[in-house]
Structure formats: structure tokens, C-alpha cells
Amino acid sequence: MRLISQVVILVTFISPSISITGIADIGNFRNIILDRHNEYRRSERASNMREMEWDTSLARKAEQYARQCRYERPARSNVRGENLFFDSGYAKNWHSRRKMMVMAESHRIGCGMAHCATMGYGRNNVRHSSLFVCFYSPRGRLIGNYPYERGRSCSRCPKETRCRNNLCSSLYSSDSPANIVAPNPPRDSNTVVGPILPNSGPLSSTDKQYVLLVQNRMRENKRLRKLEWNNILEMWASYVIRCDVEYPGPRQTYSNFGKIDRSQAVQQLIYEWADEGEDMMEPSIRRMGCAAMACDRKRQLTCIYDDRRY
């Protein structure tokens, strides 16, 4: 899928989450943003390409910039780069520096989005637009004519990184699999709530790996087809998830919901769903996508499944 198409889909899904203040809650979509960038970066023939990580400080600055409702580049900075996109329903524009998205040294990203009743666009104004802004850091530099060193993936990873999925990933990333305990069957439901785990809100990339892993182990035990993760279903799950109401996904999909103590790994819910014979064990389904959010001392997980073929 072309990058511009991915951005249009992303903004379409985020737009309904814009509050009455005009600000969108990007938190539930940050993993999708990271995945899209890292897929794009992984497709380059780069030997030193860093894996993108989310930066809350950059996200806050991007949101502040989006709230100004001016479709123009900020003053040039030596420490960060940027990309902008707007959608007014009848007009779309992607003000993109492609090189920023594949700048090997730029490994932190933060994005923000705002709804603008009136947005400045050159000498004109555009009404009722959604402005999407991403900031990248560090800004990075060109190596000859390229924003990276050409060569075999991960063959020239910088110090303090290691190769993960053909990208140079920080050794100290909070999503490092080395920091995650392998899933175990759920403890008794009466267990006292322990300390809240860090990052126990939206799903991390590692959360998704374990949710899918446990899901497929349960299905293998029943000799059912393995599922594959689908980013569009993940977007739908991020759109419908709520703390107080359990909304299903689109028609002709299956949905599972549940809450778990934020002191426990989110994939524990999958064991409970399997024991209860929930929709995740439907023989015909092929794909899944999930989202999570913090709800006080609980964590809500919503997963959507369908039977479409790729």
C-alpha cells in the first residue's frame, strides 16, 4: 500500500476520536504509526537503519503545533524534522519529506492531530480540516545522496543497538523482549492487585507479539488455523475501545472484550477467552487486530477478528 494511502486511512480512523477541544487522542494509535514507519524503513536497503520509537515530548510538541491550524512547515530546526498532512473531506495534502521517514539516525517520533474549524493554507483558508503533524529526532544527516548507509540490513548498527526485525533497535527500549516475562496461565481472579506495570496502556509491539502467540497456541490445541495480525482490524479496535461500554467491531466481524489488572500481562486475558469458548476460537477466522487502554487500575483489551483472505 502506498504511504499516502496509509496516512489517509490512519487519519480517517483517528478523526472520530477528536474531542470537543479539537484535539485527537493519538495514544491509542501510536503503535500503528510506529509500525507504518518501521515497515517503510525496513523496505530500504540500509545497513544502519534505526528502529523508530515513540517520544512523548515530541508528540506533545507536534500536538501544540497542530493546534495552531496553519499548514506550513515550522522554522528550520537542527535537532528535529517534520511531516504534515491535512484532510478536509474534499481535499487532502501530504507535505512530506520522505527522507525524514527513512533518515537512519532519526529514531524517535511523536505525532499530534487537531481539528481546525479554519486552517491557514498559504494565502487561503480551508474549513473543517484535520491537521496531522509528526516530529522526528534527531534530525539526522545525508550520507552522500542517501539518508542512510546502503548495504545489508543491520550490518552497521550503531553502538547501544542490536538487530531486531532487520532494524537497529535500542538495547534499552521499553519494548525489548528481554524485559517481558513469557505468558503463564492466569492467576486466580481474587488475586490482590499488585503494582501497576509500566506502559500498561496501549499495546506495545511486544504486547501484540504475545497476544498473537498465545492466541495461536490456544487455536493449535484445537487444531485450528493460525491467525495473522491485521493493521486495519487493529485500527478498528482502537476506534471502538472504551472503558465503560463494550462496542463491537464492523459487521461480519467477531469481537472479544475484557479487563485485567494492570499488574498483569495483557495476554493473560487470551487464556480466559479460550476457556470460555469465545469468538477467538471460531474456525473460520483468519485475521485479528487488538487495542488496549488504561482504565483506572484495570486495562481494557478489545480484539476484532474476521475471515477475509489476503
Side-chain angles (χ1 to χ4, degrees):
M1 184 183 295
R2 290 172 57 87
L3 183 62
I4 180 63
S5 299
Q6 295 176 350
V7 173
V8 170
I9 291 173
L10 180 64
V11 172
T12 299
F13 275 91
I14 297 177
S15 292
S17 70
I18 294 177
S19 68
I20 59 174
T21 64
I23 304 300
D25 180 8
I26 292 291
N28 288 333
F29 298 88
R30 70 179 189 178
N31 290 318
I32 301 174
I33 295 170
L34 283 174
D35 287 347
R36 296 287 71 71
H37 276 78
N38 283 326
E39 285 179 9
Y40 196 50
R41 292 163 74 84
R42 198 174 287 116
S43 67
E44 301 293 314
R45 298 181 60 186
S47 62
N48 65 331
M49 186 70 75
R50 295 288 300 271
E51 181 180 31
M52 276 287 185
E53 300 175 7
W54 191 260
D55 188 303
T56 54
S57 176
L58 287 175
R60 187 163 50 250
K61 292 174 182 177
E63 179 183 293
Q64 291 171 352
Y65 191 81
R67 292 176 66 177
Q68 297 178 30
C69 290
R70 296 238 15 120
Y71 188 67
E72 59 185 26
R73 292 200 177 281
R76 181 177 174 81
S77 168
N78 292 325
V79 296
R80 75 177 187 222
E82 72 286 325
N83 277 320
L84 291 78
F85 173 83
F86 85 82
D87 180 4
S88 65
Y90 60 87
K92 298 174 173 49
N93 203 347
W94 176 232
H95 201 348
S96 169
R97 287 178 177 155
R98 174 189 173 278
K99 288 181 178 178
M100 277 311 313
M101 301 187 68
V102 293
M103 190 72 70
E105 297 175 354
S106 301
H107 63 279
R108 296 193 301 276
I109 182 176
C111 302
M113 183 172 167
H115 177 74
C116 303
T118 303
M119 184 188 71
Y121 183 24
R123 297 181 179 180
N124 302 314
N125 289 324
V126 179
R127 293 182 57 78
H128 303 298
S129 299
S130 296
L131 180 58
F132 183 64
V133 178
C134 288
F135 285 159
Y136 307 82
S137 181
R139 186 177 184 85
R141 58 187 173 83
L142 292 178
I143 302 171
N145 293 324
Y146 290 93
Y148 50 79
E149 294 185 39
R150 291 170 61 81
R152 182 170 53 85
S153 298
C154 293
S155 59
R156 296 180 183 175
C157 283
K159 292 181 180 179
E160 308 300 328
T161 68
R162 72 356 185 157
C163 187
R164 182 160 69 124
N165 295 329
N166 293 325
L167 292 174
C168 302
S169 179
S170 171
L171 288 174
Y172 306 108
S173 169
S174 60
D175 288 343
S176 172
N179 298 326
I180 305 296
V181 178
N184 295 307
R187 294 178 291 176
D188 184 83
S189 59
N190 294 322
T191 301
V192 177
V193 177
I196 292 177
L197 292 175
N199 302 322
S200 56
L203 291 178
S204 68
S205 57
T206 305
D207 285 331
K208 290 188 285 186
Q209 291 172 13
Y210 276 119
V211 165
L212 184 62
L213 173 65
V214 175
Q215 171 87 63
N216 281 329
R217 283 180 179 174
M218 298 297 99
R219 289 178 64 85
E220 284 177 356
N221 290 340
K222 300 291 185 180
R223 297 185 179 180
L224 297 175
R225 178 193 295 113
K226 284 187 176 182
L227 304 183
E228 297 185 21
W229 195 270
N230 180 263
N231 293 316
I232 300 299
L233 293 179
E234 180 183 352
M235 287 183 183
W236 269 112
S238 298
Y239 174 51
V240 302
I241 190 169
R242 299 288 188 277
C243 287
D244 52 346
V245 180
E246 294 183 340
Y247 290 110
R251 289 184 179 180
Q252 300 178 334
T253 64
Y254 300 89
S255 302
N256 279 338
F257 319 88
K259 286 186 175 69
I260 191 168
D261 293 340
R262 289 175 64 191
S263 60
Q264 296 180 260
V266 70
Q267 64 266 18
Q268 303 282 12
L269 275 172
I270 305 299
Y271 290 104
E272 297 177 10
W273 291 348
D275 290 341
E276 295 168 3
E278 294 288 354
D279 290 337
M280 57 171 278
M281 304 305 290
E282 172 64 34
S284 65
I285 60 176
R286 297 172 178 268
R287 313 186 305 176
M288 69 176 295
C290 304
M293 68 187 303
C295 301
D296 195 18
R297 293 189 66 86
K298 297 285 187 179
R299 193 181 190 191
Q300 174 78 23
L301 179 67
T302 296
C303 292
I304 298 177
Y305 312 81
D306 73 12
D307 57 3
R308 289 182 57 189
R309 297 173 183 268
Y310 283 98

